[in-house]
């Protein structure tokens, strides 16, 4: 894939809108970090970017949680939303819109959308019978349930029988159009394994799904029949549209889709694939709206190889993790360690070893020792070498050139681990180059020019590495740039306009003779917490 200055299409990306029945868990943090990395990468490339996250606040699950806590659903949501906002701050998530589905402007969009679907005669009243999982907010087919009628995802929760009058969306009418969509746009659902899951689900034949509930107050009333409440998923998916509009404008569907629609990427976990890859496109077809570019279903996280859950008592608190190790460390671990799309594991020893190896030793020490040498041998300045005399087949420059192709491709395909590994290969090659060339001994032998060429090549490689890793470890990249004497703010919203991509990936951006900053460790080695002494 090539990127050039003409291709600067608006790029909108979403995380799921998280349920506020509890505090955010590591699963929510994982998707949000990934979305933030992609958004930062597109900003780096100079695209106008809108990154959307938010909270899903209606429905039975939230209503029940609030009742159990003895507070009103709205008060409950207001309290828990704050926990999400706080975590996104701690994790350095640079989002552009935070949508709450209880926002009054959202109701306007929902009503307008409902009307469009209603006018297409895709909504009718019927009787819904079936097993409902409140935790999933989804009807389950009997054959998918575990013994004792438990939900396969929420294994400790029995499903509940429902037999009620609901409004239905005519999903079955979109069977052919959906099959055509998947055939014509093989990249619509990613990765491949998720696409295959959806194809086989759709092949079994689509059934209409109910989009309203009775005996539930916490939600928007069905516009045509206020005795019914809209199904939480119908309302939640539309949050993606509401989020597109500036919250200060008068809400309208037409205006909401004017600038950013269609959304480019919906990032989700694999458990909510059907809603995004089947129901959502059908709803959009019914409303006459173009479809998003791709739906990407990532895998699930486990801890020490075990499924995480409150009942297993092995949850991983993202706030605690960030407070102990810092945002860049957490971001780097999840992006580098887990192949996006596959299930992945968190293990604290592995976490510490990986960060110490990659960020403290390979990257941090490389910068530190090279800066110190430049301090001693080059007057604390970038060596005064004409970068163009370092030829394209120079071992480090050659790697740098390939990275300018492979790394953007990896980010755009959400292959985060590959992007990180590729950049780390340059860092590792730079360490080896330094050891092989031994500029300290070149200097002692009075070979000033050779010393400077070696140090320039390494400093420039560190700069390229910091630039290309900035979507993952923005604070570290800011620090590295500062120590190289460069001004950069990798958190800037208009990043691509401030730092031109083509300039940054060009070999030799680091200006010869420029004063360098003070050498300070950018990443402190991490230590495993002391084991709690047994009595
Ligand atoms: N509210 C719906 C989404 C509506 S989008 C219009 C919802 N919310 S959720 O809070 O339950 O889940 C949010 C995301 O967390 C899902 O993408 C889910 O896959 C993800 N995860 C939940 N547990 C997870 C792990 N253990 N690992 C990784 N992600 C997991 O569903």
């Amino acid at each position: 894939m090539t990127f050039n200055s003409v291709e600067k299409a608006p790029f909108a990306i979403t995380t799921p809108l998280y349920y506020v029945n509890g505090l955010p868990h590591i699963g929510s943090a994982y998707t949000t970090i990934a979305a933030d990395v992609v958004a930062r990468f597109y900003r780096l490339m100079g695209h106008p970017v809108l990154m959307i996250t938010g909270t899903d606040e209606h429905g039975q699950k939230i209503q029940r949680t609030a009742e159990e806590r003895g507070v009103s659903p709205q008060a409950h949501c207001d309290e828990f939303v704050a926990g999400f906002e706080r975590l996104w701050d701690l994790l350095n998530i640079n989002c552009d819109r935070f949508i709450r589905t209880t926002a009054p402007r959202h109701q306007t969009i929902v009503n307008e959308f409902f009307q469009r679907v209603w006018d297409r005669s895709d909504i009718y009243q019927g009787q819904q019978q079936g097993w409902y999982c409140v935790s999933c907010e989804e009807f389950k087919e009997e054959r998918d349930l575990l013994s004792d009628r438990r939900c396969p995802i929420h294994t400790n929760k029995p499903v509940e029988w429902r037999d009620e009058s609901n409004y239905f969306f005519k999903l079955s009418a979109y069977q052919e159009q959906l099959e055509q969509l998947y055939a014509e746009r093989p990249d619509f659902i990613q990765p491949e394994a998720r696409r295959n899951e959806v194809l086989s689900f759709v092949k079994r034949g689509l059934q209409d799904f109910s989009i309203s509930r009775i005996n539930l107050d916490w939600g928007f009333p069905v516009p045509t029949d206020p005795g019914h409440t809209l199904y939480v998923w119908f309302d939640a998916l539309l949050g993606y549209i509401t989020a597109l509009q500036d919250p200060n404008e008068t809400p309208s569907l037409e205006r909401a889709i004017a600038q950013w629609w269609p959304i480019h990427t919906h990032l989700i976990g694999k458990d909510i694939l059907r809603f995004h890859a089947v129901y959502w496109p059908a709803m959009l077809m019914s409303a006459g709206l173009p479809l998003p570019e791709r739906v990407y279903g990532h895998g699930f996280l486990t801890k020490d190889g075990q499924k995480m859950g409150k009942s297993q008592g092995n949850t991983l608190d993202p706030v605690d993790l960030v407070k102990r190790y810092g945002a860049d460390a957490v971001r780097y671990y999840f992006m580098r360690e887990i192949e996006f799309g596959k299930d992945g594991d968190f293990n604290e020893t592995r976490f510490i070893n990986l960060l110490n190896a990659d960020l403290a030793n390979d990257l941090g020490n490389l910068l530190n020792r090279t800066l110190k040498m430049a301090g001693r041998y080059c007057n604390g300045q970038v060596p005064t070498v004409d970068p163009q005399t370092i030829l394209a087949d120079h071992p480090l420059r050659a790697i740098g050139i390939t990275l300018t192709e492979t790394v953007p491709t990896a980010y755009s395909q959400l292959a985060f681990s590959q992007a990180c590994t590729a950049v780390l290969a340059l860092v590792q090659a730079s360490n080896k180059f330094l050891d092989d060339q031994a500029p300290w001994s070149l200097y002692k032998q009075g070979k000033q020019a050779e010393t400077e060429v070696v140090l320039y090549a390494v400093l420039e490689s560190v700069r390229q590495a910091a630039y290309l890793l900035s979507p993952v470890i923005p604070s570290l990249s800011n620090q590295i740039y500062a120590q190289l004497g460069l001004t950069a703010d990798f958190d800037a919203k208009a990043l691509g306009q401030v730092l031109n991509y083509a300039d940054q990936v060009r070999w030799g951006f680091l200006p010869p003779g420029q004063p360098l900053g003070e050498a300070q460790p950018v990443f402190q080695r991490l230590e495993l917490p002391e084991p709690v002494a047994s009595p």
Side-chain angles (χ1 to χ4, degrees):
M1 183 174 310
T2 52
F3 291 90
N4 58 50
S5 54
V6 211
E7 282 177 67
K8 299 297 175 204
F11 177 86
I13 181 163
T14 67
T15 73
L17 307 184
Y18 302 109
Y19 286 130
V20 287
N21 59 314
L23 288 170
H25 52 68
I26 199 71
S28 350
Y30 181 54
T31 330
T32 311
I33 292 171
D36 185 57
V37 170
V38 186
R40 284 173 181 271
F41 160 71
Y42 275 89
R43 282 191 206 108
L44 203 66
M45 307 284 305
H47 289 256
V49 168
L50 195 78
M51 182 201 153
I52 296 165
T53 187
T55 43
D56 184 358
E57 304 184 13
H58 286 135
Q60 191 139 34
K61 171 150 82 171
I62 307 296
Q63 180 167 311
R64 280 192 188 168
T65 311
E67 272 164 14
E68 282 160 17
R69 296 183 64 230
V71 295
S72 74
Q74 190 65 60
H76 167 83
C77 292
D78 294 347
E79 196 182 323
F80 277 75
V81 162
F84 282 83
E85 289 174 329
R86 183 161 162 264
L87 176 60
W88 304 154
D89 269 356
L90 285 173
L91 275 170
N92 204 358
I93 303 296
N94 210 349
C95 84
D96 300 286
R97 297 279 158 77
F98 187 103
I99 176 72
R100 296 183 55 179
T101 56
T102 49
R105 68 197 157 97
H106 180 49
Q107 188 168 9
T108 311
I109 303 294
V110 170
N111 287 349
E112 274 193 55
F113 190 95
F114 182 94
Q115 195 59 46
R116 283 199 187 196
V117 178
W118 180 266
D119 293 343
R120 281 286 287 267
S121 305
D122 278 340
I123 295 174
Y124 65 93
Q125 199 166 7
Q127 192 70 14
Q128 170 78 60
Q129 287 184 324
W131 296 105
Y132 193 69
C133 171
V134 175
S135 294
C136 289
E137 294 279 17
E138 183 180 18
F139 278 100
K140 300 279 167 180
E141 298 200 23
E142 182 119 33
R143 62 168 173 240
D144 293 333
L145 297 176
L146 305 177
S147 60
D148 306 332
R149 298 225 168 80
R150 283 167 302 123
C151 163
I153 299 171
H154 302 95
T155 48
N156 53 349
K157 306 258 173 70
V159 291
E160 299 173 16
W161 178 252
R162 296 286 152 84
D163 182 357
E164 60 184 46
S165 162
N166 285 170
Y167 284 91
F168 283 76
F169 172 71
K170 267 192 206 162
L171 182 66
S172 56
Y174 291 89
Q175 174 92 28
E176 237 173 77
Q177 279 184 67
L178 285 172
E179 283 178 341
Q180 198 180 340
L181 160 73
Y182 307 140
E184 282 171 3
R185 289 177 47 189
D187 291 338
F188 179 69
I189 306 163
Q190 294 179 29
E192 185 74 18
R194 301 276 122 74
R195 175 169 188 269
N196 293 337
E197 267 172 52
V198 171
L199 293 186
S200 63
F201 169 73
V202 172
K203 210 166 148 204
R204 295 204 309 232
L206 292 173
Q207 286 170 14
D208 300 343
F209 69 96
S210 61
I211 57 164
S212 72
R213 299 286 181 268
I214 50 171
N215 306 320
L216 171 74
D217 311 323
W218 186 233
F220 294 135
V222 170
T224 50
D225 188 350
H228 292 244
T229 298
L230 270 181
Y231 172 42
V232 57
W233 267 102
F234 191 84
D235 153 0
L237 287 162
L238 294 173
Y240 294 142
I241 297 185
T242 306
L244 299 174
Q245 196 179 1
D246 183 334
N248 301 315
E249 285 176 8
T250 312
S252 98
L253 185 54
E254 205 53 55
R255 259 173 296 190
I257 58 169
Q259 192 185 351
W260 296 99
W261 191 263
I263 283 168
H264 187 281
T265 302
H266 288 302
L267 278 192
I268 53 162
K270 61 182 181 179
D271 54 329
I272 53 175
L273 188 62
R274 258 176 225 181
F275 291 102
H276 286 81
V278 184
Y279 295 11
W280 179 227
M283 283 162 62
L284 292 169
M285 286 170 180
S286 171
L289 294 183
L291 304 183
E293 194 61 29
R294 71 176 160 189
V295 172
Y296 194 106
H298 65 69
F300 258 44
L301 301 178
T302 51
K303 181 153 180 251
D304 306 318
Q306 306 289 314
K307 189 177 171 201
M308 255 184 273
K310 282 190 195 129
S311 48
Q312 286 91 332
N314 67 344
T315 49
L316 182 62
D317 175 9
V319 172
D320 174 59
L321 202 62
V322 179
K323 282 192 169 164
R324 274 193 291 142
Y325 300 117
D328 280 352
V330 175
R331 296 166 65 100
Y332 186 77
Y333 178 82
F334 285 111
M335 295 298 97
R336 157 71 180 78
E337 176 68 359
I338 297 159
E339 194 184 328
F340 204 62
K342 301 250 171 76
D343 290 349
D345 191 49
F346 178 85
N347 171 279
E348 199 150 355
T349 308
R350 171 75 192 139
F351 178 91
I352 286 174
N353 291 343
L354 178 80
L355 291 159
N356 284 343
D358 285 9
L359 301 188
N361 293 350
D362 287 351
L363 182 60
N365 277 353
L366 175 67
L367 172 70
N368 202 257
R369 62 182 180 139
T370 317
L371 273 183
K372 283 185 178 154
M373 283 189 261
R376 264 180 253 132
Y377 313 148
C378 314
N379 254 341
Q381 293 177 344
V382 176
T384 44
V385 168
D386 174 0
Q388 299 321 322
T389 58
I390 301 175
L391 301 179
D393 60 357
H394 180 279
L396 300 187
R397 184 172 181 181
I399 299 177
I401 292 169
T402 58
L403 290 190
T404 61
E405 284 290 323
T406 52
V407 173
T409 304
Y411 277 126
S412 62
Q413 293 174 349
L414 314 186
F416 306 115
S417 181
Q418 250 171 275
C420 295
T421 323
V423 180
L424 255 288
L426 172 64
V427 172
Q428 284 149 0
S430 301
N431 274 308
K432 183 170 181 305
F433 179 73
L434 212 47
D435 294 342
D436 292 347
Q437 299 294 316
W440 48 91
S441 93
L442 292 174
Y443 182 72
K444 265 195 209 145
Q445 295 162 39
K447 295 182 176 166
Q448 181 67 24
E450 279 106 317
T451 310
E452 296 208 6
V453 171
V454 172
L455 293 182
Y456 185 90
V458 175
L459 287 172
E460 173 63 357
S461 300
V462 177
R463 183 197 66 77
Q464 283 204 348
Y467 179 75
L468 292 172
L469 282 179
S470 68
V472 182
I473 46 167
S475 305
L476 221 61
S477 297
N478 278 337
Q479 286 182 61
I480 294 174
Y481 259 55
Q483 291 195 24
L484 291 172
L486 296 165
T487 330
D489 175 8
F490 286 106
D491 296 315
K493 284 281 166 68
L495 190 55
Q497 279 81 63
V498 189
L499 299 182
N500 180 277
Y501 176 76
D503 289 345
Q504 294 287 318
V505 296
R506 188 171 39 80
W507 174 265
F509 180 78
L510 192 61
Q514 168 176 275
L516 289 162
E518 202 189 321
Q520 274 175 349
V522 283
F523 192 88
Q524 298 291 347
R525 276 186 71 79
L526 305 177
E527 302 289 341
L528 258 181
E530 291 285 317
V532 186
S534 48

